[in-house]
Amino acid sequence: MKQSMMFIPTLREVPADADVKSHQLLLRAGFIRQNSAGVYTFLPLGKKVLQKVEQIVREEMDRAGAVEMFMPALQLAELWQESGRWYSYGPEMMRVKDRHNRDFAMGPTHEEMITSLVRDEVNSYKKLPLTLYQIQTKFRDEKRPRFGLLRGKEFIMKDAYSFHSSFESLDDVYEKLYEAYSNVFSRCGLNFRAVIADSGAMGGKDTHEFMVLSEIGEDTIAYSDSSSYAANVEMAPVITTYEKSQSSQDELQKLDTPGQKSIEEVSTFLSVSPEQCLKSIMFKVDDQFVLVVVRGDHEINDVKIKNIFNASVVELATAEETKTTLGPVGSLGPINVPGSLKIIADHAVQYIVNGVCGANVEGVHFTGVNPDRDIENVQYEDVRFIIEGDPSPDGKGTIVFAKGIEVGHVFKLGTRYSEAMNATFLDENGKSKPMIMGCYGIGVSRTVAAIAEQFNDENGLVWPQAVSPFDLHLIVVNPKQDDQKGLADELYTILNDKFEVLYDDRQERPGVKFADSDLMGLPIRITVGKKAGEGVIELKVRSTGEVLEITTENLIETIEKYIVK
Amino acid sequence: MKQSMMFIPTLREVPADADVKSHQLLLRAGFIRQNSAGVYTFLPLGKKVLQKVEQIVREEMDRAGAVEMFMPALQLAELWQESGRWYSYGPEMMRVKDRHNRDFAMGPTHEEMITSLVRDEVNSYKKLPLTLYQIQTKFRDEKRPRFGLLRGKEFIMKDAYSFHSSFESLDDVYEKLYEAYSNVFSRCGLNFRAVIADSGAMGGKDTHEFMVLSEIGEDTIAYSDSSSYAANVEMAPVITTYEKSQSSQDELQKLDTPGQKSIEEVSTFLSVSPEQCLKSIMFKVDDQFVLVVVRGDHEINDVKIKNIFNASVVELATAEETKTTLGPVGSLGPINVPGSLKIIADHAVQYIVNGVCGANVEGVHFTGVNPDRDIENVQYEDVRFIIEGDPSPDGKGTIVFAKGIEVGHVFKLGTRYSEAMNATFLDENGKSKPMIMGCYGIGVSRTVAAIAEQFNDENGLVWPQAVSPFDLHLIVVNPKQDDQKGLADELYTILNDKFEVLYDDRQERPGVKFADSDLMGLPIRITVGKKAGEGVIELKVRSTGEVLEITTENLIETIEKYIVK
């Protein structure tokens, strides 16, 4: 492709409202443009990367036995009313009326639509399993779209749905798609981890998120430094042993601690370490108040509280509710608590010797707290967040943290939608059962941004070959010089047969051409300059900066060392 | 692909609400399903055809020098306010508000968005011309969606836009894309014509529609029986010579014709042919009344009136307005008309001898009308619709009519959008000028339906190879017979290397398999049945019904006679 015919508007300045590298560079290198908040155009270079990622997704999905189809964006409200999500989805779902005043959702996802399609056509176990996918535009009206393609209002997603007559069949397809996802992100060149995730409100069981490691990620991943274990930080169990200090137990004593509320304040005031303190916080678990206690240096993980109680909603009690139930916020503690109040304490608490906790009276704390002796009616559980340095839950190595960008999600839905929408089949015995479902998403446009986020340097983007818009950037330094122009034109024809070539034939200064070329970040640059007359040209490898001066005779075999077609 | 893994729900019955063949068969053969009026899902087979058509479009657009990009569906209202179309587009444009109450159009087309993108990035003639395209989902809230994919509310379109610094450059790209469109529809196997069309409200100049010939088409095409001339019927000029009868001219006479109004009534009452009658109708052309006269057997073409007067609006005068201006509807005529009233008559009228026309008095007509003698202040123009039998306007052959489905449209927009939206460039002399634009559309999903409409028989669809979802349908008659199953499995592996194969491995009765196969309409069917043990199989050509019994050794070379890869 001749660059003069393409539309690649590059920018010298960093756009003011672009906070992250991928957003800045995709704008500057002319891959995308913003149309409105969270809504982007893929310019020709961006579209090429998008297509390459789509093609990789397609190949891996097909290989895993999934079948492509294409559903519309406009979805009748009635479908979403059947599942109940018309009411629960909230303002993230864009809604539109047609000229006959019928309500439609602009599909943020397609569980309802696919379930209704399969329900209407499949009624026997003989036609299951079925795994269907599409690559399609989705609409989600984010409160605060940001980071360019990473969190948009209109974006491109691959969504897949599987239908089964048994959980074994679901497990089988789940595993195949997990594998397919790993292949997709590996082929894109990404440094990623498959992470155990929260099945949350979806009500399913197994679920993994595929996270691209990046400082700008909005999720924290806890992973082992010496195994493949990785989990969203809120999902990682703490499996550890604590040691009790051998100090003798002091007496329980009340001390005035006027104005000292936080762990930091209390521990400084009493000259004890945060590890010696008990952090006590009142929660409302569905309609019940629960006092949760962790060690002063630990944080409470409310997903774990939710799971312990199998609760729908877990939230902090208000200051008012806390005071009425037990005592003032900042002076709470688990000693001498009414029997009716449930106390959950983290395992680490049990091993504190001569600790400190609030006395449920404003400005008063206990010292000499020894939980086994002093706390009654307590239930010890794993309720804290895992921290760096904890042992990995799989028993192999130590936990370290990383930030991640979620690019994929595989999810065992179970019968959440098939039951609500009456998608049933007849089993071998003629008995009607709800279909068992899985759903599987890849943020395709987000993956493009994640690649840009991982592959760049101070001069611009550095595309991995598999997803680069072109393999080669052919540059003629001075197209007004006949020998340069002649050789470059000739090489363009020859190289175009074997590689995807972007040919910078523009009448621009060499400095502009080289700067644009670095910004765009194609894997190999071929420069035809002053030595064109001698048949000598320059090859530069974008990722390493390696520069070779070669003759035209060796050109193709040299390129083939770097570019595998 | 194994059929058991695909989702191909076929129907035995013709769906009640499907009026046309393509709609019926695409539903019955499991290619599409309706989600709501005018909104369809492409099931796996339908998606495959769609992808093949898209790929053909892509290849031909690329070859013509156009560059692919991808714009969003959500378009800020402000853009449409700049062009004025936010107010003029009407209810066909779907509009949606986001959570911050901002107005968006759900793109029915992208002139505004592309013009704003190019305006913001291109400012010199050096960066022109530029031809950009996308294949994307469009939304148009049709009053009455119908005919399945032919007129939908959500559909897939290829839209292209070109930007130029001169009209010569526009002409050049227009011609290239005209050629590309011809190639696209030829490769899809379609019987089509490129037709001169009405530039209508768009204000442009040249425009052609690509029409697939079909009885269910909503447009009438007038084309030459012996040249490539073809035009939308309203656009075809009448270039013909009339002969005057040699009869002597009678005297003008008033006759009572009580209750006789239509040409049919008057000609029957007076025993003259419709050709002898003058049909006079009052129009309002912008704010001026005009009496338009054609021969009784001809119809008035108001596009021609509009062009004669270079008018914005041409409409029939009301009965009331007609009466006040001249006389009662049904008794109008061009004789003794006030000099202030403009009269336009078709050329054919001038050649009438001893004709009949209304006398502008209720129930009274003139006979013995001889226009040159009796009609004053008349201007003779081409104002009638062309009819079958007229000479072709290019002087070659005779006009015949056909119905057409519009699948493509190329259009010289000129500066309609660039002026309204201030998309300018600096020319060679540093002078600022509005960019000159073209736009070019292909209804991609509509093309799929148009192909289905042209290629079917009483048993189902008959896909041309280039757009068929698969090349071959491999059928094992009885998969429970080991020799049949074994041979079919083996052939599947072998054939899959060279062709795209759909393998019907289902446990279904042979009758069901064959009926489904005919419905789906893949070009070649390979049947493995009772003679599997002898290595003998059957090859059937879907389009001709030709059946060959062949041995497995000859299989590939026999298939290659029909399928060109």
Side-chain angles (χ1 to χ4, degrees), chain A residues 164-181:
Chain A
H164 310 268
S165 59
S166 74
F167 281 98
E168 293 69 36
S169 166
L170 171 61
D171 292 345
D172 175 50
V173 166
Y174 185 89
E175 202 168 303
K176 284 198 180 108
L177 290 183
Y178 181 104
E179 194 64 31
Y181 276 37

Side-chain angles (χ1 to χ4, degrees), chain A residues 536-560:
Chain A
V536 173
I537 53 188
E538 186 192 277
L539 180 150
K540 186 177 175 190
V541 182
R542 178 70 183 88
S543 58
T544 61
E546 184 187 358
V547 175
L548 307 174
E549 208 167 68
I550 51 177
T551 59
T552 51
E553 292 89 62
N554 302 324
L555 181 58
I556 287 185
E557 69 180 304
T558 309
I559 293 173
E560 280 172 343

Side-chain angles (χ1 to χ4, degrees), chain B residues 75 79-86 89 109-117 119 161 416-417 421 437:
Chain B
Q75 306 186 6
L79 274 181
W80 291 77
Q81 284 156 1
E82 279 190 60
S83 74
R85 290 207 290 181
W86 181 255
Y89 212 102
T109 178
H110 280 69
E111 280 85 4
E112 281 79 358
M113 188 167 263
I114 192 85
T115 303
S116 109
L117 273 166
R119 166 187 70 187
Y161 307 90
R416 158 76 179 87
Y417 293 93
M421 299 182 71
M437 292 173 58

Side-chain angles (χ1 to χ4, degrees), chain B residues 262-465:
Chain B
S262 69
I263 294 295
E264 200 188 342
E265 287 165 352
V266 172
S267 64
T268 307
F269 186 81
L270 297 175
S271 298
V272 296
S273 70
E275 288 86 338
Q276 288 294 101
C277 296
L278 284 73
K279 185 191 286 181
S280 305
I281 295 181
M282 189 72 74
F283 280 83
K284 214 158 105 186
V285 178
D286 291 336
D287 289 328
Q288 177 191 7
F289 288 104
V290 176
L291 185 68
V292 182
V293 186
V294 293
R295 221 167 65 182
D297 59 325
H298 290 155
E299 297 296 334
I300 296 170
N301 180 343
D302 53 6
V303 169
K304 292 183 177 178
I305 301 174
K306 203 168 172 180
N307 290 339
I308 290 166
F309 287 91
N310 198 14
S312 299
V313 182
V314 170
E315 51 190 1
L316 282 177
T318 63
E320 194 54 38
E321 288 168 340
T322 303
K323 195 159 187 190
T324 316
T325 313
L326 186 61
V329 171
S331 302
L332 288 190
I335 298 174
N336 299 333
V337 165
S340 60
L341 182 67
K342 184 95 193 164
I343 307 173
I344 299 287
D346 186 66
H347 294 299
V349 170
Q350 202 171 1
Y351 294 85
I352 292 174
V353 175
N354 300 327
V356 169
C357 73
N360 300 319
V361 175
E362 184 76 44
V364 181
H365 278 79
F366 281 117
T367 60
V369 175
N370 290 284
D372 280 339
R373 181 190 71 191
D374 302 328
I375 309 177
E376 287 170 10
N377 290 322
V378 62
Q379 178 181 333
Y380 289 100
E381 294 277 1
D382 169 19
V383 291
R384 71 164 171 97
F385 273 104
I386 203 164
I387 54 176
E388 287 192 293
D390 275 333
S392 177
D394 67 350
K396 296 171 196 155
T398 298
I399 284 297
V400 282
F401 280 3
K403 291 284 183 184
I405 299 167
E406 184 193 337
V407 287
H409 198 165
V410 291
F411 200 101
K412 294 185 185 173
L413 274 177
T415 56
R416 158 76 179 87
Y417 293 93
S418 50
E419 283 190 21
M421 299 182 71
N422 202 28
T424 58
F425 68 98
L426 296 178
D427 72 4
E428 291 86 335
N429 307 313
K431 213 184 133 196
S432 176
K433 290 183 174 169
M435 295 182 196
I436 295 160
M437 292 173 58
C439 71
Y440 318 86
I442 289 180
V444 178
S445 42
R446 182 183 283 183
T447 298
V448 171
I451 299 168
E453 194 64 39
Q454 275 194 349
F455 293 91
N456 65 69
D457 64 17
E458 66 279 13
N459 296 317
L461 294 158
V462 186
W463 294 104
Q465 189 212 326

Side-chain angles (χ1 to χ4, degrees), chain A residues 53-318:
Chain A
V53 174
E54 284 177 0
Q55 188 53 28
I56 290 173
V57 169
R58 217 164 245 139
E59 286 170 15
E60 295 298 333
M61 290 302 291
D62 290 349
R63 197 201 310 263
V67 180
E68 189 169 4
M69 63 186 301
F70 191 69
M71 289 180 276
L74 287 173
Q75 306 187 7
L76 274 181
E78 283 84 337
L79 274 181
W80 291 77
Q81 285 157 0
E82 280 190 59
S83 74
R85 290 208 290 181
W86 182 255
Y87 313 103
S88 63
Y89 211 101
E92 224 179 68
M93 185 156 79
M94 301 191 83
R95 295 151 208 251
V96 62
K97 282 181 193 290
D98 74 359
R99 67 200 292 159
H100 305 299
N101 218 29
R102 292 197 81 170
D103 283 308
F104 290 85
M106 291 172 62
T109 178
H110 280 69
E111 281 84 6
E112 281 79 357
M113 188 168 264
I114 191 85
T115 303
S116 107
L117 273 166
V118 172
R119 166 187 70 189
D120 293 348
E121 308 292 350
V122 172
N123 46 31
S124 160
Y125 73 97
K126 287 183 194 160
K127 295 193 172 168
L128 298 174
L130 208 50
T131 306
L132 300 163
Y133 77 96
Q134 62 174 350
I135 297 175
Q136 199 238 20
T137 297
K138 298 280 187 275
F139 301 88
R140 287 187 199 165
D141 196 358
E142 294 282 345
K143 191 164 185 186
R144 206 178 132 232
R146 62 192 148 146
F147 298 166
L149 302 180
L150 286 174
R151 189 165 290 279
K153 196 174 195 165
E154 176 172 345
F155 55 96
I156 297 164
M157 193 168 154
K158 188 285 299 170
D159 46 329
Y161 307 90
S162 67
F163 296 84
H164 310 268
S165 59
S166 74
F167 281 98
E168 293 69 36
S169 166
L170 171 61
D171 292 345
D172 175 50
V173 166
Y174 185 89
E175 202 168 303
K176 284 198 180 108
L177 290 183
Y178 181 104
E179 194 64 31
Y181 276 37
S182 300
N183 294 342
V184 165
F185 300 120
S186 297
R187 288 179 61 185
C188 289
L190 286 163
N191 180 13
F192 71 96
R193 282 191 181 247
V195 164
I196 299 161
D198 181 16
S199 58
M202 302 282 268
K205 220 177 120 224
D206 279 0
T207 171
H208 286 85
E209 287 164 357
F210 287 78
M211 294 280 190
V212 171
L213 303 187
S214 164
E215 281 171 22
I216 64 151
E218 299 182 274
D219 295 273
T220 301
I221 305 162
Y223 67 97
S224 166
D225 65 1
S226 41
S227 80
S228 69
Y229 181 85
N232 193 307
V233 70
E234 62 187 10
M235 291 304 294
V238 176
I239 297 170
T240 186
T241 50
Y242 302 95
E243 296 210 358
K244 230 174 191 163
S245 124
Q246 293 305 315
S247 317
S248 61
Q249 295 192 355
D250 295 343
E251 246 175 65
L252 194 65
Q253 249 194 311
K254 267 190 193 170
L255 273 183
D256 280 342
T257 52
Q260 313 302 314
K261 290 174 185 282
S262 69
I263 293 295
E264 201 188 341
E265 288 164 350
V266 172
S267 63
T268 308
F269 185 82
L270 296 175
S271 297
V272 297
S273 69
E275 288 86 340
Q276 289 293 100
C277 297
L278 284 73
K279 185 190 285 180
S280 305
I281 295 180
M282 190 72 74
F283 280 84
K284 214 159 106 184
V285 178
D286 290 338
D287 289 327
Q288 177 191 6
F289 289 104
V290 176
L291 185 68
V292 181
V293 186
V294 294
R295 221 167 65 182
D297 59 325
H298 289 155
E299 298 295 335
I300 297 170
N301 179 343
D302 52 6
V303 169
K304 292 183 177 179
I305 301 174
K306 202 168 171 180
N307 290 338
I308 291 167
F309 288 90
N310 197 16
S312 300
V313 181
V314 170
E315 51 190 0
L316 281 178
T318 64

Side-chain angles (χ1 to χ4, degrees), chain A residues 9 33 35 39 41-42 44 47 51 65 67-70 72-74 95 98-99 121 141 143 153-154, chain B residues 5 9 33 35 39 41-42 44 47 51 67-70 72-74 96 98-99 121 141 143 153-154:
Chain A
R33 278 297 177 268
N35 297 102
V39 179
T41 286
F42 286 83
K47 174 69 182 172
Q51 278 172 315
V67 180
E68 189 169 4
M69 63 186 301
F70 191 69
L74 287 173
R95 295 151 208 251
D98 74 359
R99 67 200 292 159
E121 308 292 350
D141 196 358
K143 191 164 185 186
K153 196 174 195 165
E154 176 172 345
Chain B
M5 292 172 66
R33 279 297 178 268
N35 297 103
V39 179
T41 286
F42 286 83
K47 174 68 182 171
Q51 278 172 317
V67 180
E68 189 168 2
M69 62 186 302
F70 191 69
L74 286 172
V96 63
D98 74 358
R99 66 200 291 159
E121 308 291 349
D141 196 357
K143 192 165 185 183
K153 197 175 196 164
E154 175 173 346

